[in-house]
């Protein structure tokens, strides 16, 4: 009777560059002369090395094993020799062991794999074990071990799987590439995940530019596969999982899809495709699908990059121009500007943007808040960025978190994007959250005493 | 792996910006006020021009005194001066105009914390101060539209020396503004005159039509929230329409109510000031509607012929409360659904 409610209030329409024809194809990145593999590739505990300096390893061979439920094993991305295993500072804090692996230059780098598994005949438990053994983590950037997310307490049932086919930022193009080249892997991944989670059906969420890709993927699916598409109006930042689940639950879908009830699990489309690809071929995770974008690259696009490849090597392979202004890990809205390119590709990296001088504007000096309310209007979580910004300036961390729910902020950057006074709101919030987290244990201790 | 160091610049996300700026809003507001300013000078001649210049210069000097290195290049003080000048009677003694401009910036703006900190629109503060301090001069400084000699000489009152009785008696060219006339039972001028602006009144408040066009421009370029003037004017129209239905002889009709006094200037240019108005969309509706209701209330049931100025002040005083009532509820902590 009534038009469907808008998917969510707020958000912004970000300009989207139509990818050039060649950019969508997934290209294999060659092996760098040295690969650097931190043993913490994901959220949780680091893996424990099972090789020693000087060992020769085969591509796909176990390098480090998982000794903890929240951990996955790490496999050799190339056939070569372990040159060293040394403790190095971890960008996430503390330090971590890093395996330095030199691929053999003349090697064919073949990776035969093993017998694939059949989700219909396998048990859920054996699928979970296979997912863990393949070293799979969430490939949307958050890098949580996938098997751990699937292993739920028995009283908690999963009704629906949501496949997140929405780019975290429009600058990236992994989704159309996966839909074109990995349709069969996605379907295999869906079957494995349905079986492993016990979910009854799956929903593939995409934005209109990928609706055709989703349709042709579904056309190839067997009729018995309970997978339906959900095309959502393009709007940043609905690719963020926190928001997507809300959006899916509210949007009734144009095809008359049923509402998605509670008990949803959300997986990035890249995770699903990689999981399907690996379980079908009996391989383990040795590379990562990465979008390299930005005007400072002559050859931007989607690359399959061996884990451990130095970022500089990857960017130079994509035609990095001599003097980039800024290199971002992630997209322009949320990405962190890097001080150096000497970091390796890990399972947690999804894309990089190398900005030219004219793309990277100089930050304008902030002016006082004029209370225009633009940030309040665009905040997709319906927080109060203006008030939070004032509180941040005063260092009122407690009020920010307990009264104004800063913990819900996903740092999407919409507020800072629209602010006419150029107040760096998301930066203030990031800092405030980190400060609050550091203070939390002390507060808890006080309460206990 | 050794590489030559290079100059990667660091900056915090987001690395994109919508391209809006505070200065943009100001520029558009000045553009939107241009037609009515030109018309005012044509209508009231040298008196209007002198009033505007003195108001603006007073504001700029006061701003220079408080904030020598203003981030906006004094654009906001310029706008405050222009709005103050437009809202004053054209034959007001110029020294009073200067005092009003100084009060607007010193008290209305900087005493409250400057740009972003203010609670009331500074131009309103200046106007209200003059109203309270010099009620007689404010009530008698009117000029007839298109008076002869307006381009060559200033009315005697304009040049009155401070704190002296005005040298010349009030020229008596025109007794009263349309609203006051209606109140006195003299009958309102034709509605067409009211909207075109060929009536007595404040420097820039007479032509409702030009103000409406300026306001529509402001909204079209998204330099002002359309919800506030819409709610405000709708509220005035509904309430004064209802009163007119009850007693047509006593209460003016909708078009007269909308076209007279400082309503159009206030609705489009003063009420839409971002700092003194609520931040949320629903708050904007409440704010506009409340001011509209106050305008009708003051005009019809108080001792004052005109109520826009006080209604705007009261509305701004309500703003923190409206912001609290309409505070957004975070998406996740909503119950149900």
């Amino acid at each position: 009777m009534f038009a469907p409610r808008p998917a969510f209030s707020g958000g912004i329409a970000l300009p989207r560059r139509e990818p050039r024809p060649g950019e969508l194809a997934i290209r294999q990145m060659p092996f760098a002369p040295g690969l650097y593999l931190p043993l913490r590739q994901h959220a949780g505990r680091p893996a424990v090395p099972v090789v020693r300096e000087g060992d020769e390893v085969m591509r796909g061979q176990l390098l480090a094993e998982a000794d903890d439920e929240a951990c996955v094993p790490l496999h050799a991305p190339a056939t070569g020799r372990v040159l060293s295993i040394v403790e190095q500072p971890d960008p996430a804090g503390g330090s971590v062991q890093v395996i330095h692996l030199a691929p053999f230059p003349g090697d064919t780098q073949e990776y035969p794999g093993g017998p694939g598994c059949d989700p219909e005949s396998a048990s859920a438990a054996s699928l979970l074990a296979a997912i863990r053994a393949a070293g799979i983590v969430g490939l949307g950037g958050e890098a949580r071990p996938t098997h751990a997310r699937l292993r739920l307490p028995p009283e908690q049932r999963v009704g629906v799987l949501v496949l997140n086919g929405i780019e975290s930022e429009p600058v990236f193009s992994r989704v159309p590439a996966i839909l074109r080249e990995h349709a069969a892997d996605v379907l295999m991944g869906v079957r494995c995940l349905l079986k492993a989670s016990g979910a009854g059906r799956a929903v593939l969420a995409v934005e209109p530019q990928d609706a055709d890709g989703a349709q042709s993927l579904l056309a190839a699916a067997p009729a018995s596969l309970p997978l339906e598409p959900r095309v959502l109006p393009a709007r940043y930042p609905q690719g963020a999982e926190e928001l997507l689940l809300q959006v899916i639950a509210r949007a009734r879908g144009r095809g008359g899809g049923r509402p998605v009830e509670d008990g949803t699990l959300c997986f990035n489309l890249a995770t699903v495709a990689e999981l399907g690809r690996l379980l079908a071929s009996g391989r383990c995770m040795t590379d990562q699908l990465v979008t390299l974008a930005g005007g400072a690259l002559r050859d931007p696009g989607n690359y399959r990059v061996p884990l451990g490849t130095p970022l500089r090597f990857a960017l130079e392979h994509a035609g990095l121009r001599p003097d980039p202004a800024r290199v971002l890990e992630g997209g322009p809205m949320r990405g962190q500007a890097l001080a150096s390119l000497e970091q390796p590709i890990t399972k947690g990296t999804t894309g990089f943007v190398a900005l030219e001088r004219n793309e990277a504007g100089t930050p304008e000096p902030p002016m006082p808040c004029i209370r225009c309310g633009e940030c309040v209007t665009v905040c997709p979580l319906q927080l109060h960025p203006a008030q939070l910004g004032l509180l941040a300036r005063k260092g009122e961390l407690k009020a920010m978190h307990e009264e104004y729910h800063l913990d819900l902020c996903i740092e999407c950057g919409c507020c800072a994007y629209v602010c006419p006074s150029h107040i760096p709101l998301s930066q203030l919030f990031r800092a405030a959250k980190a400060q609050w987290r550091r203070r939390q244990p002390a507060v808890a201790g006080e309460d206990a005493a | 792996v050794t590489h030559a160091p290079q100059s990667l610049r660091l900056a915090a996300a987001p690395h994109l910006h919508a391209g809006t700026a505070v200065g943009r809003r100001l520029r558009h507001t000045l553009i939107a006020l241009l037609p009515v300013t030109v018309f005012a000078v044509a209508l009231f001649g040298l008196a209007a021009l002198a009033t505007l210049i003195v108001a603006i210069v007073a504001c700029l000097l006061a701003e220079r005194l408080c904030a020598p290195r203003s981030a906006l290049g004094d654009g906001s003080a310029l706008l405050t001066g222009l709005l103050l000048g437009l809202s004053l009677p054209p034959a007001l003694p110029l020294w009073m105009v200067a005092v009003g401009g100084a009060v607007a910036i010193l008290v209305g703006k900087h005493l409250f914390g400057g740009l972003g900190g203010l609670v009331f629109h500074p131009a309103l503060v200046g106007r209200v101060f003059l109203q309270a301090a010099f009620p007689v001069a404010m009530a008698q400084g009117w000029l007839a539209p298109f008076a002869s000699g307006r381009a060559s000489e200033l009315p005697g009152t304009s040049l009155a020396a401070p704190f002296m009785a005005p040298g010349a008696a009030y020229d008596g060219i025109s007794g009263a503004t349309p609203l006051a006339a209606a109140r006195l039972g003299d009958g309102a001028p034709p509605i067409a005159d009211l909207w075109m602006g060929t009536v007595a009144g404040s420097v820039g408040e007479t032509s409702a039509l030009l103000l409406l066009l300026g306001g529509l421009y402001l909204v079209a370029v998204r330099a002002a929230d359309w919800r506030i003037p819409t709610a405000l004017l709708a509220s005035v129209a509904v309430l004064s329409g209802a009163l007119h239905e009850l007693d047509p002889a006593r209460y003016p009709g909708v078009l007269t109510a909308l076209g007279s006094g400082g309503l159009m200037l206030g609705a489009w240019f003063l009420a839409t000031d971002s700092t003194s108005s609520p931040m949320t969309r629903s708050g904007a509706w409440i704010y506009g509607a409340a001011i509209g209701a106050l305008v009708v209330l003051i005009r019809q049931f108080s001792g004052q012929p005109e109520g826009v100025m006080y209604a705007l002040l009261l509305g701004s005083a309500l703003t923190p409360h409206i912001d609290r009532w309409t505070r957004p509820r975070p998406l996740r902590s909503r119950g149900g659904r």
Side-chain angles (χ1 to χ4, degrees), chain B residues 229-245 252-258 263-264 289 292-293 295-296 299:
Chain B
T230 306
L232 203 165
L233 296 177
S235 159
V236 169
V238 168
L239 289 175
S240 53
L243 287 177
H244 185 66
E245 280 303 304
V254 172
L255 283 179
T256 307
L258 288 180
L263 184 64
M264 282 289 165
V295 166
V296 176
R299 274 185 182 175

Side-chain angles (χ1 to χ4, degrees), chain A residues 332 335 371 377 382 403 419, chain B residues 15 17-18 275 281 327 331 334:
Chain A
R371 298 177 23 91
T377 309
Q382 276 140 63
E403 272 177 63
C419 179
Chain B
H15 307 273
H17 194 271
T275 309
R281 286 177 176 176
R327 191 169 121 184
L331 194 57
R334 269 180 202 179

Side-chain angles (χ1 to χ4, degrees), chain A residues 36 243 246 250 312 325-326 328 332-335 337-339 341 357 362 367-371 373 377 380-384 386 403-405 408 413 416-422 426-427 430, chain B residues 1 3-4 6-22 25 71-72 115-117 222 274-281 319 323 327-334 337:
Chain A
Y36 299 84
L243 198 57
Q246 301 272 351
R250 284 149 173 258
R312 178 183 297 280
R326 215 181 283 173
L328 314 177
M333 290 300 291
R334 304 176 74 165
L338 298 175
L341 305 182
R357 293 254 169 257
T362 39
M367 306 220 329
C369 170
I370 57 163
R371 298 177 23 91
T377 309
L381 276 301
Q382 276 140 63
L383 304 177
H384 202 314
E403 272 177 63
Y404 288 90
H405 305 280
L408 298 179
Y417 177 83
V418 297
C419 179
S421 288
H422 298 275
S426 18
Q427 189 190 5
R430 218 165 9 246
Chain B
V1 197
H3 288 280
Q6 59 160 2
S7 59
L8 285 175
R9 262 189 279 161
L10 293 187
H15 307 273
L16 294 177
H17 194 271
T20 50
V22 177
R25 234 180 146 102
L72 285 176
L115 185 73
R222 299 174 63 94
S274 67
T275 309
S276 52
S277 65
M279 285 199 256
T280 58
R281 286 177 176 176
T319 291
D323 269 337
R327 191 169 121 184
R329 279 178 306 161
L331 194 57
R332 208 88 63 83
S333 63
R334 269 180 202 179
R337 309 260 142 186

Side-chain angles (χ1 to χ4, degrees), chain A residues 65-366:
Chain A
E65 64 184 7
D67 66 344
D68 184 89
E69 176 57 21
C71 183
V72 294
L74 177 66
H75 305 85
T79 300
R81 186 185 303 280
V82 176
L83 292 186
S84 69
I85 305 177
V86 290
E87 195 88 6
Q88 285 191 356
D90 186 351
S95 66
V96 68
Q97 283 189 307
V98 177
I99 296 179
H100 180 185
L101 177 72
F104 292 138
D107 198 273
T108 55
Q109 296 291 353
E110 224 159 306
Y111 186 12
C117 74
D118 176 18
E120 270 68 39
S121 61
S123 70
S126 70
L127 277 174
L128 281 178
I131 289 170
R132 183 185 189 193
I136 295 167
V137 300
L139 302 182
E142 80 288 13
R144 283 170 293 175
T146 303
H147 71 276
R149 297 193 59 210
L150 286 163
R151 193 164 287 158
L152 298 169
E155 71 277 5
Q156 204 175 333
R157 288 183 56 83
V158 178
V160 183
L161 288 183
V162 173
L163 314 190
N164 183 354
I166 295 168
E167 308 285 357
S168 57
E169 295 194 29
V171 70
F172 296 129
S173 56
R174 296 202 305 177
V175 169
I178 290 169
L179 290 175
R180 264 166 43 135
E181 298 189 27
H182 287 288
D185 295 328
V186 171
L187 295 177
M188 171 72 178
V190 172
R191 285 158 60 205
C192 292
L193 285 170
L194 283 174
K195 183 69 176 277
S197 66
R201 62 201 182 96
V203 172
L204 170 58
V206 292
E207 289 188 342
Q209 68 268 17
D210 292 319
D212 291 347
Q215 274 311 330
S216 51
L217 176 128
L218 287 168
S224 59
L225 189 69
L227 174 64
E228 57 185 85
R230 194 60 66 83
V231 180
L232 301 167
R235 192 131 181 104
Y236 177 82
Q238 69 186 343
E241 185 181 319
E242 301 90 330
L243 198 57
L244 182 64
L245 290 180
Q246 301 272 351
V247 170
I248 290 262
R250 284 149 173 258
R252 294 293 184 263
R254 258 176 269 171
R258 286 170 291 161
V260 177
E261 58 274 18
D262 285 343
T264 48
L265 262 183
C266 185
F267 292 97
N268 193 282
L269 187 64
T271 313
V272 180
E274 186 69 1
L275 190 147
R277 188 175 80 94
L278 297 178
L279 292 196
S281 62
R283 294 194 175 108
C284 299
M285 187 170 176
T286 59
D287 42 32
Q288 164 74 313
L289 179 59
V290 175
T291 303
L292 302 177
L297 297 179
R298 270 190 298 276
D299 216 357
N302 291 306
Y303 290 89
R304 188 166 278 288
V305 187
L307 294 175
T309 302
L311 175 59
R312 178 183 297 280
F313 179 91
L315 291 176
E316 281 172 357
H317 182 77
L320 182 68
R321 293 181 214 277
D323 196 18
R326 215 181 283 173
V327 175
L328 314 177
E329 173 163 12
M333 290 300 291
R334 304 176 74 165
Q336 194 186 350
L338 298 175
S340 114
L341 305 182
E342 314 311 321
Q343 71 173 63
I345 302 289
T346 68
K347 294 177 184 178
T349 46
T350 62
F352 294 88
V353 180
L355 296 174
E356 267 191 308
R357 293 254 169 257
N358 59 358
E359 290 177 299
T362 39
E364 302 247 351

